[in-house]
Amino acid sequence: MNTENVRTRFAPSPTGFMHIGNLRTALYTYIIAKKYGGKFILRIEDTDQGRFVEGATEVIYDTLRKCGLNWDEGPDIGGPVGPYVQSERMGIFKQYAEQLVKSGHAYYCFCTKERMEQVHEEQKAKGITPTYDRHCRDLPKEEVDRLLAEGVPYVIRQKIPLDGETTFHDELYGDITVPNADLDDQILLKADGMPTYNFANVVDDHLMGITHVVRGNEYLSSAPKYNLLYEAFGWEIPEYIHVERIMRDATHKLAKRDGDAYFGDFVEKGYYIPAILNYIALLGWAPKGEQEIFSLDELIAEFDIGGLSKSPAIFDPVKMTAINAEWLRKISHEEFKELALPYIRQTCKREDIDIDVLVKTLQPRTELLSDIPEKVDFIDQLREYDNELFFNKKMKTNAETALPALQAVLPVLEGIADGDWTEEKIHAAVFAEIEKLGVKNGWVLLPMRAALSGKAMTPGGGIELAAILGKTESLSRIKMALEKLGQQN
Ligand code: GLU
């Protein structure tokens, strides 16, 4: 692969939210530019006005920025080969299409929509894939001039050689050769003067000096036609890297209806952005070693085109969540705290708790940030619970054993001075009592946890919960439990 003066581009169409397949293309494109000290260019391909979605361009900017995929040239910051919004480049394409007509690589086509529909119907009836029948390919020049002078609407089509073969090279797939007879005379310029994607991408990639084109392999079959265009213009062909699809399972693409096909879906579900990038990088690319957790900088260092996969990647939410959990464990306490606080505050508004102990307790136990509100909901409100909560077969605890356990631990906790109410001190005091009683840890800690939270599953055990809740609240909850147990036993 050529690694000199690398210029790559991400060329999304603003048609909605950012699908993670597109984001992954952006990521690989960015990585390749940065790995070789090149430039990463953002080009908005908005020529298909029918598919344009209001606000979609902002979603693209916002997603790339949040992910740290900062572009060196683009619509908002400009650059030497702008404009970077395709609809603002309209004047350019007509002239290039006409140049191809002159050189004999394209032609005017005056076929009406009605004629085309009829031709396609006939082809379908014969079991042929509908394609253009090249009706206008060899119209005499005088006829063409007359129709143009009359103002008859036209499109410009590519004049594909009728025989021979075209070979193109993909960095991943190697050389691919197709018979020209299999290629259609595709439209380059539409009746409204707009270029098709198939034409605009070639002209723009050339004018913008793009050296490496990374895109989804749905474009693989069109690549020979692009090469014929580059050759017709006498332009250098960029290096292609067509990446595989992302699938829900062996037969279904990861689609919108799955509810987790878009970047925004994952952020909403409580995934941490560097973890999202990390996971999607691995969807279709295998690092050389065992390491799985990569920051963007590490991805740039490790990435190698040879590691890209030639078979579709299956999206695995379990794996993605595991990677997210690992990221959340790895970041600093301060960073985790900043991420976690808005989630904590959804259900826990109390200010008098030890938030740092809570955060410390949550950090190693959080898979998704959005799990947090439910985990901490016991802090503001102790829910109604029944004796079942004290039952644990392994620890041999139940409502009867909870009573003496809590009776023993209450004076111990009361004995800790207010200023000493820290996790460490509570731990020391409670464990001294456990030793004195000669019981298993769980015999005391489990009822403590149940009394303090009213829940069987909590972030952290009895000691941590006591530290989080503070002395007054902890004693009051234990006394309440004792009262309840005392009345029942
Ligand atoms: N606008 C095209 C898309 O969003 C870009 C394809 C390409 O990268 O060439 O699919």
Side-chain angles (χ1 to χ4, degrees), residues 350 352-358 360-361 378-379 382 406 409-410 412-414 416-418 420-431 444-454 458-479:
R350 280 182 77 145
D352 61 342
I353 55 159
D354 192 328
I355 199 85
D356 280 308
V357 177
L358 177 60
K360 191 177 92 136
T361 312
F378 67 91
I379 297 174
L382 181 64
L406 292 179
V409 91
L410 179 65
V412 172
L413 295 176
E414 281 171 331
I416 301 173
D418 290 0
D420 282 346
W421 193 265
T422 62
E423 198 186 330
E424 252 173 41
K425 296 262 166 64
I426 302 167
H427 186 275
V430 172
F431 272 80
V444 172
L445 296 179
L446 200 126
M448 241 180 106
R449 186 225 312 251
L452 291 172
S453 69
T458 53
I463 308 250
E464 283 150 317
L465 298 189
I468 291 164
L469 290 169
K471 186 172 174 184
T472 314
E473 182 69 18
S474 298
L475 293 180
S476 134
R477 288 189 181 189
I478 288 178
K479 280 179 198 160

Side-chain angles (χ1 to χ4, degrees), residues 62 162 182 224 342-343:
D62 185 58
L162 296 176
D182 290 356
Y343 291 92

Side-chain angles (χ1 to χ4, degrees), residues 138-173:
D138 297 310
L139 285 184
K141 185 167 180 317
E142 306 73 58
E143 175 77 350
V144 172
D145 290 344
R146 185 182 62 80
L147 292 167
L148 287 178
E150 281 177 15
V152 177
Y154 65 85
V155 298
I156 293 181
R157 289 185 180 272
Q158 186 174 359
K159 199 171 202 172
I160 302 276
L162 296 176
D163 38 38
E165 297 175 331
T166 298
T167 299
F168 74 97
H169 181 78
D170 181 277
E171 286 302 308
L172 208 56
Y173 295 90

